[in-house]
Amino acid sequence: MFNWISQTIAVTALNLRTIPRRLGSSGVAIVGIAGVVIVLVSVLSIAAGFTAAMQQSGSPSRAIVMRSGADSEMTSGLSGAEVDVIKQAPGLRRDGQTAIASAELYVIIDIPKKSTNTSANVPMRGIEQTAMSVRGEASIVEGRMLEFGTNEIVVGRGANGQFAGLTVGNEFKSGQNTWKVVGIFETDGAVSETEIWCDSRVLQGVYRRGNSYQTVLAQLDSSDSFNTFRDWLTANPQVNVQVRREADYYAQQSRALSGLIQGVGVGIAALMGIGAVFGAILTMYTAVSTRSREIATLRALGFNTTSVVVSVLVESLALAAIGGALGGVGAYFAFNGYQTSTMNFSTFSQVAFAFQVTPQLLVMGLIYALAMGLIGGLFPALRAARLPIPTALREL
Amino acid sequence: MKFLPLLWSSLWRKKVRTIFTLLSIFVAFLLFGLLMTIRGAFSFGVEIAGIDRLVLIHKVSLIMPLPVSYLARLNTTEGVTMATHNTWFGGVYQDPANFFAQIAVEPEPFTKLYPEYKVPPEQMKAWLADRQGVMVGVDLAKRFGWKVGDRVPIVGTIWQPKQGQVWEFNIAGLYDGDTGVDKTQFFFRYDYLDENRRGGQGLVGWYIVKIADPGAAQQMGAKFDEMFANSSAETKTTTEKGFVEGFAKQVGDIGAIMISITIAVLFTMILVAANTMAQSVRERTSEVGVLKTLGFSNASILVLVLSESVLIAVIGGGLGLLTAWAFVQQGDPTGGMLPIFILPTRDVVLGGALVVGLGLLAGMWPALNAMNLKITDALRRA
C-alpha cells in the first residue's frame, strides 16, 4: 500500500518537474483553457451585472401605485385628484401632516449615447420635494439638489457616464425647453442612476400633461403596513389603481431582459463548454502521445499502472488550474466594472449597469477548468496505461 | 482526387483523435452560426429597412405624439410620393409576457408604402370593410394558433377604450413576407383607435414618408423639420434605416460582443487543431520518408498534408454550419423577443471560407515541416 503511494508521488513529481520541457503542448493546453474561461466568465458577468443593478433597485418597504391595468410606469396615468386621495391612505409614513410619498411622471428624452453617438431613450422622472426622503439611499454626490419650480435637473451617476452632455453646469435644449444640470446623484448602483430627475410640475408643462402624474412612490410606515395601504386603495371608489411593493415591480420589469441575457449567456457558455471539453481531450491526448515512450519506460521499470494514470491526471489538472486561474484573473481585470447600458424593452428606456465578475463566477470558471482538465486527461491517461509496453516503446 | 482513399485512411488511423477533432470543430462552427444569427437578430432588420422612406418622430422623444394634421401638409409637400402615420398601441394579450408589436395604421396607404408585407387582395378588402379588422403576420398567427376570422381581445395600456379596458379585434387577414421581414406584427385600423379611445383624439405616434428621390433624403428630412419647427410638436426626421439602426444601437454593441466571442472561440480552435495536426504528422514521419522515396515531390507532400487538414475542417465545420442552419430554421426560440431570427447566406459563405482557412492554417506548419524533411532523417526515425 505504502509502496503504491510512494510510486505515485514519485511519478507525479517527475511529471510536474518536467512540464517546462514540454512548454509547447503545455502552453497550448493552458491558453486553450484560459481562453474558454475568459469567454465564459465575461459573458455571464453581463447577466450578473444587469441582475445586480435591478436587484438593488426597489425596496420592499416602499410601494409604487400605478393606474390599474398599466404594465409599466410609462403607460400609467393618475389624475391630480387621484394622487391627493392616494396620499391620504393609511399605512404611509408621515412627517407631521405631510405624507412621505412622491407623485411622479416618467417619460423618456432623446439624448445621444456616448459610445455610439446616436440618440437613446433616456428615462426622465418628474419628482416632488418629498422624493429624496422617500428614497433614503439617494444622495447628491456632486453639485447640489435641484431647485423646484425651475428648469434645473439632477442626473444619476449612470446617466452621467453613458450619455453626452450630462455634466454639472451644462445646459441642453430639448424641443423648446432648456434644461440645466446642477447636480449628480447616486442610489447605491440601482437602476435609478440611469435617470434624470426634474420637478414634476415643470415636466407636466413641457410634456403637456396638465395636472396628471403617472405613479406615486410611497414610503410605507413599516414593511408590514403594505397590506393596509393596498387594501384601502383598491377598495376606494375614488381611485382605480394597482399597488405593488417597489421591489416586486422592478423584479417584474427586469424579468424579460434578464431572461434574454441569461438565456443567451448560458446557451453560449454551455456550447463553448462542450467544445472546450473536446478541445481539452484532444490537447491532453496529444500531450500524452508525445510521451508514450517515457510512460512505457516507466512501466517497464516496474512502476504500476495506477501511479502512471494518476500522474497524468494530476498534470492535466495542474495545467487546467493554471489556465482557469489565468482566465479568471484576465476576465476580472478586463471586464469587472466595465460600464455599459442597454435598452430595457419593458420600460422602453435605457438601463446603465456594470459588468460584474463576482467571486461565484470566478470559482465557477475554476471548477469548469478543473472539470475540463479531469475529463481531458482521463482518456489519454487510461490509454497510456493500457497500451502494451512494446507497442508504446516503438511509438515516436 | 485519386489520393482521397489515402487521405481517408490516414484520417482514420487514430479514430478517437479524429473524432474528437471533428467534434471540436463542429461545436466551434455551430457556435459561429448561432452567434451570427444573434447578431442579426439584434439589428432588427436594419438591412431591409427602406432608404426611400423617412420616419418623422417628435423631436423631444418617440413617446410624444404628433398631431394628425401634419398628414395633409406632408402629402402636399413637393418631393413626397406618399405619407402615412403609425401609432404604437402596446396592449397586452392575455399575459404581458406575450409581447408583440401592435400598431394602428391607415390600411391602404400603409400597404402601398410597404410592399414587402404581402397581403392577399380578398383579405385586404375584408380589412377595409371591417373597422375592427386586423392584419396579422403569419409567424404571429402561428405562435398563437390564430386563423382568419378569429376574435382577439387585447387589454389597453396606453389607450383605454371608452367602455371597460378591453379592445376587440377580428382577424381580417394574414400577411407574409420574404426572409428577413418581421412577420410578427399586428396592424389594426387607426380610425377604430381614434373613435374609441378615451382622450388623445387626433394624435398619432409617428409619420412615414416615401420620397421620390432617395438621394434627396437629407434635404427632404431637413425640409420637414423646418416645416414643423417652432410649433407645439417639433419633429426629427431620419431615414427608416437610420431609425432602426438607432434602436439597434440603443441595445448596445451586441454585434461587437458576438464577433469578439467568435474570434476567441475560433482562435482557440485553431490552436487545438494545429497542435493535433502537428502531432499527427510527427507520428508518421517514417511514412512521409517512404512516400518521398517512392518519388512523391516535396510539393505533393505539402498538398497531401494540407488536404488532410482541410478535409477534417470541412467535414467538422460543414456539419456545424449545417446544424446551426437547421436549428435557426425552427424559428425564434425566445417566443417573440427576437423576431428576425435567420442565418443570412452571407454568413454561411463566410463560415465556409473560415472553415477552409482554419484547415489551411492548422496544417501549414506541420505541412511545411513534412515537406522539408530529408528522406534519410525520416526513415531513421522509425
Short mmCIF file of all heavy atoms in Angstrom, two decimals, chain B residues 139-170:
data_model
loop_
_atom_site.label_atom_id
_atom_site.label_comp_id
_atom_site.label_asym_id
_atom_site.label_seq_id
_atom_site.Cartn_x
_atom_site.Cartn_y
_atom_site.Cartn_z
N ASP B 139 -46.14 34.57 -38.83
CA ASP B 139 -45.40 33.99 -37.69
C ASP B 139 -46.15 34.23 -36.39
O ASP B 139 -46.17 33.37 -35.50
CB ASP B 139 -44.00 34.60 -37.59
CG ASP B 139 -43.09 34.09 -38.69
OD1 ASP B 139 -43.44 33.07 -39.32
OD2 ASP B 139 -42.04 34.71 -38.92
N LEU B 140 -46.77 35.41 -36.26
CA LEU B 140 -47.53 35.70 -35.05
C LEU B 140 -48.74 34.80 -34.95
O LEU B 140 -49.06 34.27 -33.89
CB LEU B 140 -47.96 37.18 -35.04
CG LEU B 140 -48.61 37.66 -33.75
CD1 LEU B 140 -47.62 37.60 -32.62
CD2 LEU B 140 -49.15 39.06 -33.90
N ALA B 141 -49.43 34.62 -36.10
CA ALA B 141 -50.62 33.76 -36.11
C ALA B 141 -50.23 32.34 -35.74
O ALA B 141 -50.93 31.66 -34.99
CB ALA B 141 -51.26 33.79 -37.49
N LYS B 142 -49.06 31.89 -36.23
CA LYS B 142 -48.61 30.53 -35.92
C LYS B 142 -48.35 30.40 -34.42
O LYS B 142 -48.69 29.40 -33.80
CB LYS B 142 -47.31 30.24 -36.68
CG LYS B 142 -47.13 28.76 -36.92
CD LYS B 142 -45.78 28.36 -37.47
CE LYS B 142 -45.24 29.24 -38.57
NZ LYS B 142 -43.88 28.82 -38.94
N ARG B 143 -47.75 31.45 -33.84
CA ARG B 143 -47.40 31.40 -32.41
C ARG B 143 -48.61 31.22 -31.54
O ARG B 143 -48.59 30.48 -30.56
CB ARG B 143 -46.67 32.70 -32.06
CG ARG B 143 -46.22 32.80 -30.63
CD ARG B 143 -45.42 34.06 -30.46
NE ARG B 143 -45.37 34.47 -29.06
CZ ARG B 143 -45.08 35.69 -28.64
NH1 ARG B 143 -44.82 36.63 -29.52
NH2 ARG B 143 -45.04 35.97 -27.37
N PHE B 144 -49.73 31.90 -31.87
CA PHE B 144 -50.91 31.81 -31.02
C PHE B 144 -52.01 30.95 -31.60
O PHE B 144 -53.08 30.84 -31.02
CB PHE B 144 -51.47 33.22 -30.75
CG PHE B 144 -50.57 34.06 -29.91
CD1 PHE B 144 -50.02 35.23 -30.41
CD2 PHE B 144 -50.27 33.70 -28.61
CE1 PHE B 144 -49.19 36.02 -29.64
CE2 PHE B 144 -49.43 34.48 -27.83
CZ PHE B 144 -48.89 35.63 -28.34
N GLY B 145 -51.76 30.35 -32.76
CA GLY B 145 -52.79 29.49 -33.36
C GLY B 145 -53.99 30.27 -33.86
O GLY B 145 -55.12 29.80 -33.79
N TRP B 146 -53.77 31.48 -34.36
CA TRP B 146 -54.89 32.28 -34.87
C TRP B 146 -55.18 31.97 -36.31
O TRP B 146 -54.28 31.66 -37.09
CB TRP B 146 -54.53 33.78 -34.78
CG TRP B 146 -54.50 34.33 -33.39
CD1 TRP B 146 -55.11 33.84 -32.29
CD2 TRP B 146 -53.82 35.51 -32.98
NE1 TRP B 146 -54.86 34.64 -31.21
CE2 TRP B 146 -54.07 35.67 -31.60
CE3 TRP B 146 -53.02 36.46 -33.62
CZ2 TRP B 146 -53.55 36.74 -30.87
CZ3 TRP B 146 -52.51 37.51 -32.90
CH2 TRP B 146 -52.78 37.64 -31.53
N LYS B 147 -56.49 32.09 -36.67
CA LYS B 147 -56.88 31.90 -38.08
C LYS B 147 -57.69 33.13 -38.49
O LYS B 147 -58.20 33.86 -37.63
CB LYS B 147 -57.75 30.65 -38.22
CG LYS B 147 -57.01 29.36 -37.95
CD LYS B 147 -57.93 28.13 -38.06
CE LYS B 147 -59.19 28.21 -37.24
NZ LYS B 147 -58.99 28.39 -35.81
N VAL B 148 -57.86 33.29 -39.79
CA VAL B 148 -58.69 34.41 -40.28
C VAL B 148 -60.08 34.23 -39.73
O VAL B 148 -60.66 33.14 -39.77
CB VAL B 148 -58.70 34.43 -41.82
CG1 VAL B 148 -59.67 35.47 -42.33
CG2 VAL B 148 -57.31 34.69 -42.35
N GLY B 149 -60.65 35.30 -39.19
CA GLY B 149 -61.98 35.24 -38.63
C GLY B 149 -61.99 35.14 -37.12
O GLY B 149 -63.02 35.35 -36.48
N ASP B 150 -60.84 34.85 -36.51
CA ASP B 150 -60.78 34.76 -35.04
C ASP B 150 -61.00 36.12 -34.40
O ASP B 150 -60.68 37.15 -34.97
CB ASP B 150 -59.41 34.22 -34.60
CG ASP B 150 -59.33 32.71 -34.68
OD1 ASP B 150 -60.35 32.09 -35.04
OD2 ASP B 150 -58.25 32.17 -34.40
N ARG B 151 -61.51 36.08 -33.18
CA ARG B 151 -61.71 37.32 -32.44
C ARG B 151 -60.60 37.42 -31.40
O ARG B 151 -60.38 36.49 -30.64
CB ARG B 151 -63.07 37.28 -31.74
CG ARG B 151 -63.57 38.66 -31.38
CD ARG B 151 -65.08 38.64 -31.23
NE ARG B 151 -65.60 39.88 -30.74
CZ ARG B 151 -65.79 40.99 -31.46
NH1 ARG B 151 -65.49 40.99 -32.74
NH2 ARG B 151 -66.26 42.09 -30.92
N VAL B 152 -59.88 38.53 -31.36
CA VAL B 152 -58.76 38.68 -30.45
C VAL B 152 -59.01 39.85 -29.49
O VAL B 152 -59.12 41.00 -29.93
CB VAL B 152 -57.45 38.96 -31.23
CG1 VAL B 152 -56.30 39.18 -30.28
CG2 VAL B 152 -57.15 37.80 -32.16
N PRO B 153 -59.13 39.59 -28.18
CA PRO B 153 -59.31 40.70 -27.23
C PRO B 153 -57.95 41.15 -26.69
O PRO B 153 -57.12 40.33 -26.36
CB PRO B 153 -60.12 40.05 -26.10
CG PRO B 153 -59.75 38.60 -26.15
CD PRO B 153 -59.20 38.29 -27.51
N ILE B 154 -57.75 42.47 -26.66
CA ILE B 154 -56.47 42.98 -26.15
C ILE B 154 -56.76 44.04 -25.10
O ILE B 154 -57.59 44.92 -25.30
CB ILE B 154 -55.63 43.57 -27.29
CG1 ILE B 154 -55.34 42.48 -28.31
CG2 ILE B 154 -54.36 44.18 -26.75
CD1 ILE B 154 -54.10 42.69 -29.11
N VAL B 155 -56.08 43.95 -23.95
CA VAL B 155 -56.28 44.92 -22.88
C VAL B 155 -55.45 46.16 -23.18
O VAL B 155 -54.25 46.07 -23.43
CB VAL B 155 -55.83 44.32 -21.52
CG1 VAL B 155 -55.89 45.39 -20.43
CG2 VAL B 155 -56.71 43.14 -21.16
N GLY B 156 -56.10 47.32 -23.14
CA GLY B 156 -55.38 48.56 -23.44
C GLY B 156 -54.49 48.98 -22.29
O GLY B 156 -54.85 48.80 -21.13
N THR B 157 -53.34 49.53 -22.57
CA THR B 157 -52.49 50.08 -21.51
C THR B 157 -52.35 51.58 -21.71
O THR B 157 -52.78 52.36 -20.88
CB THR B 157 -51.10 49.43 -21.50
OG1 THR B 157 -50.56 49.50 -22.82
CG2 THR B 157 -51.15 48.00 -21.03
N ILE B 158 -51.78 52.01 -22.83
CA ILE B 158 -51.64 53.44 -23.10
C ILE B 158 -53.01 54.03 -23.42
O ILE B 158 -53.40 55.08 -22.93
CB ILE B 158 -50.73 53.70 -24.30
CG1 ILE B 158 -49.44 52.91 -24.20
CG2 ILE B 158 -50.44 55.18 -24.42
CD1 ILE B 158 -48.60 52.99 -25.45
N TRP B 159 -53.74 53.32 -24.30
CA TRP B 159 -55.04 53.82 -24.74
C TRP B 159 -56.15 52.93 -24.19
O TRP B 159 -56.20 51.74 -24.48
CB TRP B 159 -55.10 53.82 -26.26
CG TRP B 159 -54.00 54.58 -26.91
CD1 TRP B 159 -53.00 54.08 -27.65
CD2 TRP B 159 -53.77 56.00 -26.84
NE1 TRP B 159 -52.16 55.06 -28.08
CE2 TRP B 159 -52.60 56.26 -27.58
CE3 TRP B 159 -54.42 57.06 -26.21
CZ2 TRP B 159 -52.09 57.54 -27.73
CZ3 TRP B 159 -53.91 58.34 -26.38
CH2 TRP B 159 -52.75 58.57 -27.12
N GLN B 160 -57.03 53.55 -23.39
CA GLN B 160 -58.16 52.80 -22.86
C GLN B 160 -59.38 53.09 -23.73
O GLN B 160 -59.56 54.21 -24.18
CB GLN B 160 -58.47 53.26 -21.43
CG GLN B 160 -57.30 53.17 -20.48
CD GLN B 160 -57.07 51.77 -20.01
OE1 GLN B 160 -57.83 50.88 -20.33
NE2 GLN B 160 -56.00 51.56 -19.26
N PRO B 161 -60.24 52.06 -23.94
CA PRO B 161 -61.45 52.32 -24.72
C PRO B 161 -62.47 53.07 -23.84
O PRO B 161 -62.32 53.12 -22.63
CB PRO B 161 -61.97 50.92 -25.04
CG PRO B 161 -61.44 50.06 -23.95
CD PRO B 161 -60.13 50.66 -23.51
N LYS B 162 -63.49 53.62 -24.53
CA LYS B 162 -64.47 54.41 -23.78
C LYS B 162 -65.18 53.57 -22.74
O LYS B 162 -65.52 54.06 -21.67
CB LYS B 162 -65.47 55.06 -24.74
CG LYS B 162 -64.82 56.10 -25.64
CD LYS B 162 -65.80 57.14 -26.13
CE LYS B 162 -65.10 58.31 -26.77
NZ LYS B 162 -65.23 58.34 -28.23
N GLN B 163 -65.43 52.28 -23.07
CA GLN B 163 -66.07 51.39 -22.09
C GLN B 163 -65.09 50.29 -21.71
O GLN B 163 -64.55 49.64 -22.58
CB GLN B 163 -67.29 50.69 -22.71
CG GLN B 163 -68.23 51.62 -23.44
CD GLN B 163 -69.24 52.21 -22.50
OE1 GLN B 163 -68.90 52.96 -21.58
NE2 GLN B 163 -70.48 51.85 -22.70
N GLY B 164 -64.91 50.10 -20.41
CA GLY B 164 -64.10 48.97 -19.96
C GLY B 164 -62.63 49.14 -20.26
O GLY B 164 -62.11 50.25 -20.34
N GLN B 165 -61.95 48.00 -20.40
CA GLN B 165 -60.50 48.05 -20.63
C GLN B 165 -60.08 47.26 -21.85
O GLN B 165 -58.93 47.29 -22.22
CB GLN B 165 -59.77 47.42 -19.43
CG GLN B 165 -59.57 48.37 -18.28
CD GLN B 165 -58.68 47.74 -17.23
OE1 GLN B 165 -58.67 46.52 -17.05
NE2 GLN B 165 -57.93 48.54 -16.54
N VAL B 166 -61.01 46.51 -22.46
CA VAL B 166 -60.61 45.56 -23.49
C VAL B 166 -61.02 46.05 -24.87
O VAL B 166 -62.13 46.51 -25.09
CB VAL B 166 -61.27 44.19 -23.22
CG1 VAL B 166 -60.90 43.21 -24.31
CG2 VAL B 166 -60.85 43.68 -21.86
N TRP B 167 -60.09 45.96 -25.81
CA TRP B 167 -60.36 46.26 -27.21
C TRP B 167 -60.57 44.95 -27.95
O TRP B 167 -59.76 44.03 -27.84
CB TRP B 167 -59.16 47.00 -27.83
CG TRP B 167 -58.87 48.33 -27.24
CD1 TRP B 167 -58.26 48.58 -26.05
CD2 TRP B 167 -59.16 49.59 -27.83
NE1 TRP B 167 -58.14 49.94 -25.87
CE2 TRP B 167 -58.68 50.58 -26.94
CE3 TRP B 167 -59.76 50.00 -29.02
CZ2 TRP B 167 -58.79 51.95 -27.21
CZ3 TRP B 167 -59.87 51.36 -29.28
CH2 TRP B 167 -59.39 52.31 -28.37
N GLU B 168 -61.65 44.87 -28.75
CA GLU B 168 -61.90 43.64 -29.50
C GLU B 168 -61.49 43.80 -30.95
O GLU B 168 -61.78 44.82 -31.58
CB GLU B 168 -63.42 43.33 -29.47
CG GLU B 168 -63.96 43.09 -28.08
CD GLU B 168 -63.87 41.63 -27.68
OE1 GLU B 168 -63.63 40.79 -28.57
OE2 GLU B 168 -64.02 41.32 -26.50
N PHE B 169 -60.80 42.80 -31.47
CA PHE B 169 -60.36 42.84 -32.87
C PHE B 169 -60.77 41.56 -33.59
O PHE B 169 -60.88 40.50 -32.98
CB PHE B 169 -58.83 42.97 -32.95
CG PHE B 169 -58.30 44.23 -32.34
CD1 PHE B 169 -57.75 44.23 -31.08
CD2 PHE B 169 -58.35 45.43 -33.06
CE1 PHE B 169 -57.25 45.40 -30.52
CE2 PHE B 169 -57.84 46.59 -32.51
CZ PHE B 169 -57.30 46.58 -31.24
N ASN B 170 -60.97 41.67 -34.92
CA ASN B 170 -61.24 40.48 -35.74
C ASN B 170 -60.10 40.31 -36.72
O ASN B 170 -59.71 41.27 -37.39
CB ASN B 170 -62.53 40.68 -36.56
CG ASN B 170 -63.71 40.95 -35.67
OD1 ASN B 170 -63.88 40.34 -34.64
ND2 ASN B 170 -64.53 41.92 -36.08
#
